[in-house]
Amino acid sequence: MVILLSAFGIVLLGAFAQAVSGFGYALVTVPLLAAAVDPRAAVVVSALTGIGLTLTAAVRERAYARWRVAGALTATALLGLPAGLLVLARAPERLLSALIAAVVLGCAALVWSGARIRTGRLGLGAIGVIVGVLTAATGTNGPPLVAAFHSLGYDPRTFRATLAATFSGTSLIGLTGFLLAGQVHADVVRISLVALPAVPLGWWLGNRLFHRIDPVVFRRIVLVGLLGSAGAALASLAG
């Protein structure tokens, strides 16, 4: 019961973060769920509970999304998916936690420094492959997308909409991979079903705040969210 209640609260917080910043769901839920259950289950639970959120957000924000960019990233993510599934299945739990921490901290450094990354055709292709690996291995596939979209100079509405469109595609291929790899079992389904009602509640609360934020504050929220997620991942690793 404690695990189920914790999962509900974690998913609520993740959906709130997603609505405000456009990317925070997996970055919040995976590290925190990994502290309550094993990292593999955390990745799958996050994917199962988050798929409806990303699809709904993509439909609602479709007029603001850069669909060609999202489509290209999803297509190249397929190339990285098999490697990510292999890591998820065979890597020790502490290695998965370390990978989560490294990815989140790396992106926090990129956003903090304001560094620009290559976002041409080859650059986006490479980012898509990385996103595919992270989708299956850790579920935390947002950081490279956050860095890329900041480099492209997207405003908050376009930023959130294009992330939602990309997440929709990667979530669908990720869930397909989890099913084929046998990672979806009774325990993760039970936890997901209990936590699922927290998703629309968290989104509703976060969406009310989103429309009251100016772009400067928005960027700060992105950075704080990344640093907070990195801290949670490191705490899980230390434990």
Side-chain angles (χ1 to χ4, degrees), residues 17-19 21-27 142-143 146 159 163 167 221-223 225-226:
Q18 179 85 8
S21 66
F23 72 94
Y25 188 78
L27 288 172
V146 170
F159 181 97
L163 276 174
F167 285 153
I221 289 174
V222 171
L223 180 58
L226 287 171

Side-chain angles (χ1 to χ4, degrees), residues 35-156:
V37 297
D38 68 89
R40 291 180 180 83
V43 170
V44 181
V45 169
S46 178
L48 287 172
T49 54
I51 182 66
L53 179 64
T54 55
L55 289 172
T56 301
V59 171
R60 288 181 176 177
E61 304 286 328
R62 62 188 180 277
Y64 302 94
R66 303 292 176 86
W67 286 98
R68 290 184 65 181
V69 172
L73 287 165
T74 301
T76 52
L78 281 168
L79 300 176
L81 190 70
L85 289 171
L86 187 63
V87 171
L88 181 69
R90 299 190 179 182
E93 292 184 5
R94 290 182 63 83
L95 180 58
L96 288 177
S97 297
L99 182 58
I100 292 170
V103 169
V104 177
L105 283 173
C107 188
L110 281 174
V111 177
W112 177 268
S113 66
R116 300 285 176 173
I117 62 176
R118 290 182 59 86
T119 51
R121 182 174 298 179
L122 291 178
L124 286 176
I127 290 168
V129 174
I130 294 170
V131 166
V133 174
L134 296 177
T135 295
T138 67
T140 54
N141 59 1
L145 296 175
V146 170
F149 293 167
H150 271 300
S151 296
L152 290 168
Y154 289 167
D155 62 87

Side-chain angles (χ1 to χ4, degrees), residues 199-221:
V199 173
L201 176 59
W203 178 266
W204 178 78
L205 293 171
N207 201 46
R208 289 176 64 87
L209 180 61
F210 175 79
H211 295 291
R212 296 177 172 86
I213 301 174
D214 65 37
V216 174
V217 176
F218 174 81
R219 187 179 185 279
R220 292 174 182 170
I221 289 174

